[in-house]
Amino acid sequence: MIYFIGAGPGDPELITVKAMNILKKADAVLYTGSLVPKEVLSWCKDDALIVDSQGMKYPEIFEFLSKHKDKIVARVHTGDPSIYSTIAKQIEYLNEQNIKYSVIPGITAAFGAAASLGIEYTIPGVSQTIILTRVEGKTPNPEKLENILACKNSSLAFYLSILLLNKLKKKALELDYSPDTPCWVVEKATWKEEKIYKGTISDIQNKVSHIKGVALILFGEYLNQKETEESHLYVKPLIKELGINKC
């Protein structure tokens, strides 16, 4: 069985118990070395074959999975396997070869960053929609950036885009976003080296121009964390129970 494992955003303790148990009994482990913390591998057996997939192309990855298909294989990805992990291509190959697989979810960077910041993405009256996306770079986006930014009442989180921040800024200002719209960057969310930078779409670039590696961009009014409407679920029953008359 091939197990696709989400290792979480960085903190090794954020991996699931199920994923940890698979790692403990895996015979072969293929992990994304540039992104998965080495501490995650400490749960592996002493005699497990552990290989870093950094620099490997699809044919090499497919060969590894096929070669060890009769063993317990842990294919370890950063964050959650369903987001920017390329598992679709790997699963397509496994289906073609009739090789069994299972996917174990993990915590994606957007949720790790939210925990570090102590924020909520769904603020009543401000945003009830989360968009996880990226600014178009070498890999083309079917969704145009202007269409994504047109969703002004959504909570936006941009992956893999720190080197394209100027493009995001330019397009946002063209679409009449206020220069004071909050824009925050979380570098290496939940890692020991995590750093948080808070600013606006007009000044955040100056604060993070040194970042070349892993970082998440959060953008939108939701970062103010101010409800503009009362929560029907939590507030109104309390008002009724206490007999408070609203003016």
Side-chain angles (χ1 to χ4, degrees):
M1 176 77 80
I2 311 294
Y3 291 92
F4 291 96
I5 290 175
D11 183 346
E13 292 186 348
L14 290 178
I15 197 170
T16 65
V17 173
K18 185 172 185 177
M20 181 179 65
N21 288 334
I22 293 299
L23 285 172
K24 286 181 177 179
K25 62 182 181 180
D27 303 302
V29 179
L30 186 62
Y31 75 103
T32 309
S34 59
L35 299 171
V36 174
K38 298 297 187 294
E39 292 91 337
V40 168
L41 303 176
S42 65
W43 293 303
C44 298
K45 299 188 298 183
D46 291 339
D47 61 347
L49 173 64
I50 302 176
V51 176
D52 184 351
S53 65
Q54 185 177 7
M56 293 175 67
K57 304 300 182 184
Y58 280 127
E60 297 167 284
I61 294 173
F62 295 161
E63 181 183 3
F64 183 95
L65 299 178
S66 182
K67 181 179 180 180
H68 302 285
K69 64 181 180 180
D70 295 324
K71 304 174 182 177
I72 298 175
V73 178
R75 175 66 174 112
V76 187
H77 286 275
T78 185
D80 181 87
S82 68
I83 299 176
Y84 300 119
S85 68
T86 71
I87 69 165
K89 192 77 172 178
Q90 297 173 72
I91 287 176
E92 180 184 21
Y93 170 79
L94 296 179
N95 285 332
E96 290 172 351
Q97 302 299 315
N98 292 316
I99 299 174
K100 294 181 180 180
Y101 66 88
S102 180
V103 181
I104 301 175
I107 297 174
T108 188
F111 300 143
S116 295
L117 291 165
I119 64 168
E120 179 182 352
Y121 284 113
T122 50
I123 303 297
V126 178
S127 173
Q128 293 292 290
T129 301
I130 308 169
I131 297 178
L132 307 181
T133 186
R134 64 185 295 177
V135 178
E136 184 176 46
K138 292 181 180 180
T139 302
N141 279 13
E143 310 90 347
K144 298 299 181 183
L145 182 56
E146 54 265 33
N147 293 335
I148 295 170
L149 290 173
C151 302
K152 290 189 175 183
N153 294 111
S154 297
S155 301
L156 302 176
F158 292 88
Y159 286 69
L160 308 169
S161 302
I162 193 63
L163 299 180
L164 299 166
L165 188 50
N166 187 56
K167 185 175 182 179
L168 172 61
K169 171 186 174 181
K170 181 179 179 182
K171 184 58 66 174
L173 295 178
E174 285 178 3
L175 294 172
D176 295 325
Y177 274 85
S178 167
D180 295 327
T181 303
C183 187
W184 299 354
V185 170
V186 181
E187 181 181 15
K188 302 195 76 170
T190 77
W191 290 69
K192 292 179 181 178
E193 305 93 329
E194 177 189 79
K195 292 185 179 179
I196 295 171
Y197 304 87
K198 295 184 179 182
T200 65
I201 192 59
S202 60
D203 66 17
I204 189 64
Q205 191 173 10
N206 295 330
K207 300 179 180 182
V208 299
S209 59
H210 62 284
I211 301 177
K212 307 300 179 185
V214 180
L216 188 78
I217 303 169
L218 306 181
F219 178 53
E221 293 295 339
Y222 72 96
L223 292 172
N224 289 319
Q225 297 289 286
K226 299 293 184 182
E227 296 183 2
T228 60
E229 293 186 13
E230 294 177 338
S231 169
H232 176 77
L233 179 61
Y234 294 106
V235 176
K236 290 186 178 180
L238 179 61
I239 291 174
K240 183 177 180 181
E241 180 181 337
L242 297 177
I244 299 173
N245 294 320
K246 294 179 65 179
C247 298

